[in-house]
Amino acid sequence: DQQVKQNSPSLSVQEGRISILNCDYTNSMFDYFLWYKKYPAEGPTFLISISSIKDKNEDGRFTVFLNKSAKHLSLHIVPSQPGDSAVYFCASQGGSEKLVFGKGTKLTVNP
Amino acid sequence: NAGVTQTPKFRILKIGQSMTLQCTQDMNHNYMYWYRQDPGMGLKLIYYSVGAGITDKGEVPNGYNVSRSTTEDFPLRLELAAPSQTSVYFCASSYPPGHPYGYTFGSGTRLTVV
């Protein structure tokens, strides 16, 4: 039973446009949410996070939105750049529990 | 500023062979984890440790063993390699849950069992 779902395996956008990556979760105990970025042959690297007391967190071109009532979060990248092409993992955590990861979405930004 | 270091980066094993995947971190993190990633799948937790001398099973522990004798090191042992263990293995470390930056991952070990 997947507690964290990324329903789009892949996404392709044009350079300069917005990329929106989506993530749904089922466990209402989750109170911390993170996005990781992974390039081929490298480990995932932390990108941005949000706690359940917020509904938005920004860091430069990256913004994460949290909709607790819908158990949904999204990552917006504006403007998208070719260097953003990677696999993006959503991860969630509740209390003292370990992170639970989604299956990832492969983003391709075309020049 | 090494972070999490995994060795080897690549390995080919024959069925039934054994090996140890090494992981060391220099951030003084108490929490350490081993994940595997299969093609098209997310990260599945194999084992984790909340401190030296303490380990516990994750989601997919069968066929693996771990030990944590020091804060820095968290090796993963495969005793009798099987083709189903062909995967990319990631070690990670972290501060206690809820820290803003989550986990720090190593660069992975790509293992093929033939």
Side-chain angles (χ1 to χ4, degrees), chain A:
Chain A
D1 180 31
Q2 274 189 275
Q3 296 189 72
V4 177
K5 299 179 183 179
Q6 294 179 257
N7 292 319
S8 298
S10 62
L11 174 68
S12 183
V13 300
Q14 284 299 120
E15 181 178 5
R17 306 296 290 268
I18 185 172
S19 296
I20 300 176
L21 295 92
N22 293 303
C23 178
D24 297 296
Y25 62 96
T26 58
N27 191 337
S28 58
M29 298 302 292
F30 286 152
D31 57 7
Y32 206 74
F33 307 88
L34 305 91
W35 285 94
Y36 284 81
K37 177 179 180 179
K38 183 183 178 306
Y39 292 118
E42 294 183 12
T45 55
F46 170 77
L47 187 59
I48 192 169
S49 64
I50 188 168
S51 79
S52 59
I53 62 172
K54 293 186 173 183
D55 53 19
K56 177 182 175 181
N57 189 28
E58 285 183 84
D59 184 2
R61 297 185 296 112
F62 302 90
T63 303
V64 56
F65 295 92
L66 176 63
N67 182 334
K68 291 185 288 293
S69 61
K71 294 191 178 67
H72 177 83
L73 63 156
S74 60
L75 175 67
H76 292 210
I77 307 173
V78 184
S80 300
Q81 300 174 354
D84 296 328
S85 297
V87 176
Y88 290 79
F89 290 99
C90 170
S92 303
Q93 180 177 54
S96 62
E97 294 302 311
K98 299 159 290 301
L99 284 178
V100 178
F101 288 85
K103 291 185 177 182
T105 296
K106 182 177 181 180
L107 173 66
T108 302
V109 181
N110 301 302

Side-chain angles (χ1 to χ4, degrees), chain B residues 18-21 34 63-67 75-79 85:
Chain B
S18 301
M19 77 164 294
T20 299
L21 282 68
W34 274 105
Y64 307 95
N65 275 302
V66 293
S67 60
L76 177 72
R77 179 82 178 162
L78 282 71
E79 290 293 350
Q85 293 177 304

Side-chain angles (χ1 to χ4, degrees), chain B residues 11-73:
Chain B
R11 184 72 186 268
I12 298 175
L13 277 183
K14 294 185 177 179
I15 294 171
Q17 286 186 321
S18 301
M19 77 164 294
T20 299
L21 282 68
Q22 301 292 345
C23 175
T24 186
Q25 53 97 5
D26 62 358
M27 296 170 286
N28 204 31
H29 287 164
N30 281 329
Y31 287 64
M32 295 189 74
Y33 315 84
W34 274 105
Y35 285 89
R36 60 177 285 173
Q37 184 190 15
D38 300 323
M41 304 296 289
L43 295 161
K44 292 186 182 291
L45 182 65
I46 305 171
Y47 270 95
Y48 67 100
S49 169
V50 301
I54 306 169
T55 63
D56 208 345
K57 296 178 180 179
E59 186 181 356
V60 289
N62 291 343
Y64 307 95
N65 275 302
V66 293
S67 60
R68 184 93 183 271
S69 57
T70 67
T71 298
E72 296 78 19
D73 301 305

